[in-house]
Amino acid sequence: MSIPKTQKAIIFEKNGGELQYKDIPVPTPEPDQILINVKYSGVCHTDLHAWKGDWPLPTKLPLVGGHEGAGVVVAKGANVTNFEIGDYAGIKWLNSSCLGCEFCNKGAESCCPKPVLSGYTHDGSFQQYATANAVHAAKIPKGTDLAQVAPVLCAGITVYKALKTCDARAGEWVAITGAGGGLGSLAVQYAKAMGFRPIAIDAGDDKKKLCLDLGAEGFVDFKTSPDLGKEIVELTNGGPHAVIHLAVAEAAVTQSTEYVRPTGTIVLVGLPGGAYVKSEIFSHVVKAINIKGSYVGNRADTAEALDFYARGVVKSNAKVIPLSELPKVYELMEQGKAVGRYVVDTSK
Ligand code: 8ID
Ligand code: ZN
């Protein structure tokens, strides 16, 4: 397989700076890495946070973003035994971790104190050739539609893990904020496939239609509902057993501490910069509610999330656009107008 010396990428030199579509060198894999010819990459709101520099953790600069990359292995380092040239592989947010610390040992590798993060501390999938640690890279079965599977590599894994974390049982209500966005459109489907009864919370007719088409049992518009909490409590006959927060909004979290069902669990996933959870302690205690964080997923969660996709019970419905048009997706996301997930085609 011939590997070019240079390739197209979207790169920025400072946070919030110009998103340049240009030729950059193709990286060489380290002994424990594979080189993936990225065909498609999903665009996650995390990529927008990274570009803007929203979070207390600094990004590498200059940076190639992207962490939902699906492609073909074209080269591998000397220590790699679990991938062959020509295999399909996926680039995840957690590009690598130490595998030796307390958290890696417990399968909580996203909490490793020395993580390597794709599209954040390591150049990611908004380029045609990217490197990934072979032990952490996702295995994608041959014959899979690489454009459609790409969003599973972050959005799918993350929402699947959050739903595993939420303590709800089959038949119980799970409210999902940000349900019409990238993570949300997958969360509604995973929730349904896992036996829960999803209620979608987002705004606008396009997102309402998407959520109901994907299997949500109800939709509450956070912009137009006269009393969102009351509407959710009525729909769920007493409040949802769990709430999964994918919205990039602090207010959504505070509201949910009021409408969540007694003994219910609130799972924080969305990462609005500088935000805090506010929960009134008296009702928090007497309703015995739980609030948890959930951060991507481990290697087993990855394989399980991909298996739901392979069985066809979860679809990504991703919209494919050229890599050179990535800035347009950021604009739509910023305005809350991105319906579902966008995927970039790295060949254009
Ligand atoms: O591991 C993790 N915890 C993880 C993994 C991946 C992504 C966390 N994230 C984070 C991202 O960094 C981002 O902060 O999850 C968040 C959602 O990512 P996304 O799904 O990729 O974003 P999106 O497609 O823009 O969707 C966000 C949706 O939230 C809605 C918007 O309308 C949009 O559809 N929304 C907002 I903004 N405010 C809302 C509110 N108050 C709301 N929905 C309901 N109520
Ligand atoms: Zn992501």
Side-chain angles (χ1 to χ4, degrees):
M1 220 168 279
S2 81
I3 301 165
K5 293 261 180 300
T6 61
Q7 55 160 343
K8 289 283 187 225
I10 294 262
I11 187 163
F12 59 86
E13 281 166 25
K14 57 178 204 257
N15 297 107
E18 188 193 347
L19 294 160
Q20 306 171 48
Y21 179 60
K22 67 173 195 183
D23 290 297
I24 64 165
V26 169
T28 307
E30 301 284 333
D32 57 355
Q33 289 179 331
I34 48 177
L35 179 68
I36 300 169
N37 175 203
V38 180
K39 300 291 187 192
Y40 298 93
S41 175
V43 184
C44 180
H45 205 113
T46 292
D47 300 312
L48 175 59
H49 291 301
W51 171 57
K52 284 166 53 186
D54 278 347
W55 297 336
L57 181 71
T59 65
K60 148 186 192 299
L61 288 171
L63 178 69
V64 176
H67 57 273
E68 287 184 348
V72 183
V73 178
V74 291
K76 58 182 208 166
N79 299 343
V80 175
T81 55
N82 62 334
F83 278 99
E84 297 303 330
I85 307 298
D87 283 353
Y88 282 5
I91 294 171
K92 303 181 291 132
W93 173 248
L94 194 65
N95 193 288
S96 147
S97 71
C98 80
L99 296 178
C101 72
E102 171 191 347
F103 304 105
C104 285
N105 285 343
K106 287 181 183 162
E109 55 233 34
S110 58
C111 295
C112 175
K114 289 183 188 152
V116 177
L117 307 174
S118 306
Y120 206 90
T121 61
H122 182 93
D123 283 340
S125 51
F126 296 151
Q127 56 182 339
Q128 292 174 301
Y129 292 87
T131 51
N133 178 283
V135 172
H136 282 277
K139 293 257 177 191
I140 301 175
K142 273 270 172 68
T144 304
D145 179 333
L146 291 174
Q148 292 301 319
V149 79
V152 177
L153 297 166
C154 172
I157 295 166
T158 300
V159 302
Y160 171 63
K161 177 66 161 204
L163 287 158
K164 278 173 85 172
T165 303
C166 83
D167 298 325
R169 297 195 181 174
E172 294 186 337
W173 294 104
V174 176
I176 300 163
T177 70
L183 266 62
S185 58
L186 281 159
V188 170
Q189 299 177 71
Y190 276 98
K192 201 166 169 63
M194 292 162 82
F196 306 140
R197 304 184 69 183
I199 292 290
I201 308 165
D202 211 311
D205 289 342
D206 292 344
K207 289 182 184 173
K208 177 177 182 178
K209 182 174 184 323
L210 177 70
C211 293
L212 295 177
D213 285 351
L214 294 176
E217 290 194 36
F219 182 89
V220 181
D221 194 313
F222 77 91
K223 286 196 177 151
T224 60
S225 172
D227 188 340
L228 181 127
K230 187 161 171 263
E231 207 178 321
I232 294 170
V233 169
E234 276 170 14
L235 265 171
T236 55
N237 193 26
H241 300 80
V243 185
I244 311 289
H245 282 296
L246 311 174
V248 193
E250 183 177 288
V253 179
T254 307
Q255 250 169 350
S256 69
T257 62
E258 293 160 21
Y259 67 68
V260 70
R261 205 178 192 91
T263 73
T265 299
I266 293 168
V267 184
L268 308 178
V269 178
L271 290 159
Y276 288 84
V277 178
K278 205 167 165 210
S279 180
E280 193 261 317
I281 294 178
F282 183 79
S283 46
H284 192 127
V285 172
V286 300
K287 281 174 71 182
I289 65 172
N290 308 287
I291 303 181
K292 295 177 169 182
S294 184
Y295 184 30
V296 291
N298 64 19
R299 288 167 294 152
D301 300 318
T302 300
E304 291 165 23
L306 282 163
D307 188 58
F308 277 78
Y309 177 82
R311 289 187 287 117
V313 291
V314 163
K315 296 186 171 60
S316 83
N317 302 299
K319 292 183 226 126
V320 182
I321 60 152
L323 173 62
S324 57
E325 291 180 15
L326 176 69
K328 287 187 190 166
V329 184
Y330 285 175
E331 229 170 90
L332 287 172
M333 257 183 184
E334 186 81 68
Q335 299 163 355
K337 287 185 187 154
V339 180
R341 197 51 129 204
Y342 281 85
V343 162
V344 292
D345 175 345
T346 65
S347 72
K348 296 178 196 162

